[in-house]
Amino acid sequence: MLYDAVDDPSDRTPGELLAAYRRELASVVDAVGVEAVAAESGVDRATLEALRDDEPADLSVEEAAAILATADRFPGADAVVFELRDHLLMGMSSAVLDVDTLADDIEADLTGQEVQQALEGRTRFTLEQLAQIQAAIERRT
């Protein structure tokens, strides 16, 4: 899963978390193949090639989950997203952290309402936003 792409994420910056997410996705693309991942995930070939070549790729959490789901070691995309959201929400509960405080604690230009919408899947949630949110939660737990 993305949230456990590194050991001890509490010691990582958002940039390090994002790089770890991208490495995890690139390893799936390498193992499964660009064509197969594109066909199964619906993510365009150019984005997958960028991941494989360690170039920046703008991906949503849902797209990343679809990529992971193409590998046998991961459950379906919906299960990956649900588990990720659950992990984040449990971390927020443990840290006694609300969405407004979280929004103030990250660099992404999001309001508390937008953070909540991203966590609930009602708006696009990018990997960069995920890295910032996960880092902020991990710092407080």
Side-chain angles (χ1 to χ4, degrees):
M1 300 296 166
L2 293 173
Y3 63 81
D4 62 359
V6 295
D7 292 331
D8 198 6
S10 62
D11 290 340
R12 308 299 178 140
T13 66
E16 290 170 327
L17 291 175
L18 181 59
Y21 303 157
R22 289 182 175 153
R23 281 191 305 272
E24 181 77 20
L25 294 168
S27 74
V28 169
V29 172
D30 281 341
V32 177
V34 171
E35 292 301 324
V37 173
E40 289 181 51
S41 70
V43 176
D44 67 85
R45 182 182 169 86
T47 300
L48 296 172
E49 289 171 346
L51 275 174
R52 181 196 62 202
D53 298 339
D54 197 29
E55 296 172 5
D58 179 32
L59 285 168
S60 70
V61 167
E62 290 80 7
E63 291 167 324
I67 292 168
L68 292 176
T70 64
D72 291 338
R73 68 182 194 263
F74 294 104
D78 288 342
V80 170
V81 171
F82 291 141
E83 187 172 331
L84 173 64
R85 286 185 185 138
D86 186 57
H87 180 80
L88 294 173
L89 293 172
M90 292 300 292
M92 288 175 65
S93 293
S94 295
V96 189
L97 186 59
D98 63 51
V99 292
D100 292 319
T101 304
L102 188 55
D104 289 341
D105 203 27
I106 62 175
E107 291 182 22
D109 188 22
L110 299 173
T111 65
Q113 182 179 12
E114 291 167 329
V115 168
Q116 181 174 346
Q117 290 172 344
L119 291 172
E120 293 174 347
R122 294 187 291 136
T123 190
R124 189 169 193 271
F125 188 16
T126 68
L127 286 184
E128 185 174 340
Q129 292 166 338
L130 170 61
Q132 290 181 29
I133 289 172
Q134 183 180 7
I137 292 169
E138 295 289 344
R139 280 193 306 268
R140 292 177 176 254
T141 55

